[in-house]
Amino acid sequence: MRILIVDDETLVRKTMQSQIPSTHTVALADSLEEAVDVLDKQIIDLVFTDLSLDESADRQGIELIQHISKHYPSTVVVAMTGHDESHLVEACMKAGAVDYLVKPFDGKVLTQVLRKAPVLHRLLRRNQTLKHQAGSKLVSHINLYTKSPAFKAVIDTAKKIRGSGQSVLIRGESGSGKEVMAQYLWSLENDDSRPFIAVNCGAIPSHLAESELFGHKKGAFTGATESRAGKFESADGGDLFLDELATLSQDLQVKLLRALSSGDIYPVGQDFGKKVNCRTIAATNENLEEMIADKKFREDLFFRIKKFTITLPPLRQRKEDILDLANEFLRAGNYGDKSFSKKAEELLLTYSWPGNIRELKSAIEVACVLAEDSEIEVSDLTPHLVQSAPVYEEVIKSSSVAEIDEAALEGRYSHVVSEFELKLIDFALKKKGSESAAARYLGIPRSTLGDIRRRLAGIKK
């Protein structure tokens, strides 16, 4: 744990420090001002504070406890005093202390406090995390099940990196479940007290992004009427999920790199850094390599953020899971006795789902409203699909893939599928004239279209 001992007597500070095992990090302060300075510069898990600082007759000690309770609510505070008086105990508890020690006390008492403190810290940290998540869906432990070999490989990778504490980059198309995977990585640590703080980088106004991530000091800018912790500090001891990472400005990328490299964050308006310890999980559907080549994303940040990389397969590559997911959405949505007809199931399995799991969920929600009886039909599903059946018919008519020779197909399934995929993209390019327009037409990100073309370029040779 990160411990701060606050006492104006040098002997008391040094004696306590010598009795604390070296596995803990200990900082010392002899006054209210010095203690506040330490708390500003680093995150502290446990504070021992004497009440009578600078012969203040307990006033400054109570003031420090109140300051910690307001600004650092996940920090455990233990009060120390030479007076065993009930009114002091009551004042300390009201101010925010969790325990009260009467001096002098021996090493056994200190050991008992150190044994209890991590549990209290986890409870306070969990309470603070719940406050941060108030008004949004609370993060809970999830378990992922799959029949898809492609997704099983992803889950196996996630399990291998459990406990490493290293940053993770999750890549995949829009709607493929990147935030769910981030929550799964958090779940694998099996510790409810670890915060999970999610930030949609693309949704933060550029002028507020730095404050949102790193916090700010009182008076740092107009409207900053009090100091505020940023997302990094809120995620201390847990996971910070940065969704749509590629949308961050170049200036903020530099500051993010500094935070990841050193563990120091610099709140807006503060000249010195503060140590934080959280795992960063970033996600993007953009081609970061292309963005690096175009000078839109920093290469050093790319290598810092991708200590481990998890690439999610699109839903069209994990068709084994489609019906299970669809039925799970029916159950989760409390849609009564609704079920899918055989033809509806066939559509679910043959449709390419360019919007991935997000599109599947939305289509089912719409279908459940449109369905006039308990069985969901094809006509209930199609109104919400990005791509309609006539598009496929038009492509098939224009493609020789519809007339495959049996001998040409035997043993070459993957090649034939890839060839059709390339023909589909060529068809869209001819119809729309540019990669961006073709990607919109097909319902996939432009970067995905480019990746597919490069991957399949060899089959033309």
Side-chain angles (χ1 to χ4, degrees):
M1 298 189 76
R2 296 161 293 191
I3 301 171
L4 171 62
I5 300 171
V6 188
D7 198 296
D8 56 1
E9 295 184 31
T10 303
L11 180 60
V12 172
R13 296 195 305 274
K14 294 293 186 182
T15 300
M16 289 183 65
Q17 184 180 27
S18 68
Q19 293 173 331
I20 294 175
S22 58
T23 51
H24 302 288
T25 302
V26 180
L28 305 176
D30 64 6
S31 66
L32 169 65
E33 292 76 15
E34 189 175 357
V36 170
D37 187 55
V38 171
L39 289 162
D40 273 344
K41 291 179 178 178
Q42 56 185 293
I43 293 177
I44 298 294
D45 303 318
L46 171 63
V47 174
F48 291 96
T49 180
D50 185 37
L51 296 183
S52 302
L53 298 173
D54 297 332
E55 301 179 355
S56 61
D58 308 321
R59 182 182 59 80
Q60 286 200 0
I62 296 292
E63 186 178 336
L64 176 59
I65 296 172
Q66 291 171 334
H67 178 84
I68 295 171
S69 180
K70 179 180 179 181
H71 297 286
Y72 312 101
S74 62
T75 298
V76 178
V77 183
V78 176
M80 305 182 297
T81 181
H83 310 287
D84 186 9
E85 299 177 12
S86 60
H87 76 278
L88 282 179
V89 175
E90 184 179 355
C92 288
M93 298 302 112
K94 283 185 177 180
V98 300
D99 208 345
Y100 180 93
L101 303 181
V102 179
K103 297 191 293 185
F105 50 84
D106 58 24
K108 291 182 179 180
V109 172
L110 188 59
T111 299
Q112 289 174 354
V113 173
L114 292 176
R115 189 178 295 121
K116 292 187 296 182
V119 177
L120 294 170
H121 176 62
R122 285 196 293 271
L123 289 172
L124 290 173
R125 191 169 65 183
R126 180 60 176 163
N127 182 55
Q128 188 63 14
T129 301
L130 292 174
K131 287 181 179 179
H132 277 291
Q133 294 172 350
S136 60
K137 186 177 180 181
L138 298 180
V139 177
S140 57
H141 288 272
I142 60 174
N143 187 30
L144 296 180
Y145 169 78
T146 181
K147 296 175 182 175
S148 161
F151 200 62
K152 280 180 181 176
V154 169
I155 292 176
D156 288 344
T157 299
K159 289 178 178 177
K160 287 177 183 177
I161 63 179
R162 175 174 49 199
S164 70
Q166 298 291 331
S167 59
V168 183
L169 176 63
I170 304 175
R171 311 184 76 164
E173 295 178 8
S174 179
S176 57
K178 294 185 285 295
E179 184 163 359
V180 171
M181 177 52 63
Q183 292 178 16
Y184 179 65
L185 290 170
W186 173 83
S187 298
L188 287 173
E189 301 301 323
N190 199 29
D191 182 356
D192 275 333
S193 73
R194 295 180 74 256
F196 178 87
I197 304 297
V199 184
N200 186 332
C201 299
I204 308 174
S206 57
H207 65 287
L208 296 177
E210 184 177 359
S211 172
E212 187 74 13
L213 289 177
F214 306 118
H216 63 255
K217 300 301 293 180
K218 180 179 179 180
F221 49 83
T222 304
T225 55
E226 61 180 24
S227 297
R228 179 176 176 273
K231 300 299 186 183
F232 264 93
E233 188 169 345
S234 299
D236 183 62
D239 292 332
L240 176 64
F241 176 54
L242 299 175
D243 199 7
E244 297 188 35
L245 175 72
T247 62
L248 291 178
S249 67
Q250 289 277 320
D251 181 55
L252 206 56
Q253 288 178 35
V254 173
K255 293 171 181 176
L256 177 59
L257 176 64
R258 178 172 61 180
L260 296 177
S261 300
S262 65
D264 291 329
I265 58 169
Y266 288 79
V268 178
Q270 183 167 295
D271 295 331
F272 47 84
K274 174 181 287 190
K275 286 286 184 186
V276 294
N277 178 27
C278 64
R279 177 174 65 173
T280 304
I281 304 173
T284 183
N285 60 3
E286 298 293 339
N287 188 318
L288 293 181
E289 290 83 356
E290 280 189 2
M291 292 185 69
I292 290 169
D294 294 338
K295 306 297 183 184
K296 293 179 181 178
F297 197 85
R298 294 184 62 94
E299 186 175 30
D300 46 6
L301 176 58
F302 174 66
F303 288 115
R304 175 65 62 176
I305 206 79
K306 65 177 287 293
K307 291 293 183 67
F308 293 103
T309 299
I310 292 177
T311 302
L312 300 182
L315 189 55
R316 62 182 175 276
Q317 292 180 11
R318 44 182 296 210
K319 289 186 178 291
E320 302 91 340
D321 291 336
I322 289 177
L323 293 182
D324 286 340
L325 287 168
N327 286 304
E328 176 59 31
F329 292 144
L330 283 182
R331 286 192 294 271
N334 294 317
Y335 294 117
D337 60 349
K338 300 262 185 215
S339 61
F340 300 101
S341 69
K342 289 296 182 183
K343 288 189 176 180
E345 288 185 344
E346 288 175 10
L347 174 61
L348 291 174
L349 291 171
T350 56
Y351 181 65
S352 69
W353 300 110
N356 292 294
I357 299 172
R358 186 183 296 125
E359 185 187 3
L360 173 64
K361 183 179 181 182
S362 297
I364 289 169
E365 289 171 348
V366 172
C368 287
V369 174
L370 295 177
E372 295 181 354
D373 52 38
S374 62
E375 196 164 65
I376 297 172
E377 301 290 349
V378 169
S379 58
D380 302 318
L381 286 166
T382 51
H384 195 68
L385 302 186
V386 173
Q387 298 169 331
S388 60
V391 172
Y392 295 112
E393 291 171 4
E394 189 177 1
V395 174
I396 289 171
K397 286 176 183 176
S398 69
S399 172
S400 62
V401 177
E403 301 173 359
I404 302 172
D405 182 83
E406 287 186 17
L409 176 60
E410 188 174 358
R412 301 177 69 251
Y413 172 80
S414 297
H415 184 88
V416 171
V417 169
S418 296
E419 188 175 50
F420 180 78
E421 197 172 9
L422 188 57
K423 285 182 178 292
L424 183 64
I425 290 175
D426 287 342
F427 172 82
L429 285 168
K430 289 175 184 176
K431 190 175 184 72
K432 295 298 180 180
S434 70
E435 277 201 359
S436 297
R440 285 194 298 271
Y441 176 67
L442 295 172
I444 60 177
R446 180 184 178 279
S447 58
T448 299
L449 186 145
D451 287 345
I452 294 172
R453 293 186 76 194
R454 282 189 292 276
R455 174 169 57 85
L456 303 178
I459 73 172
K460 283 187 173 183
K461 298 177 181 178

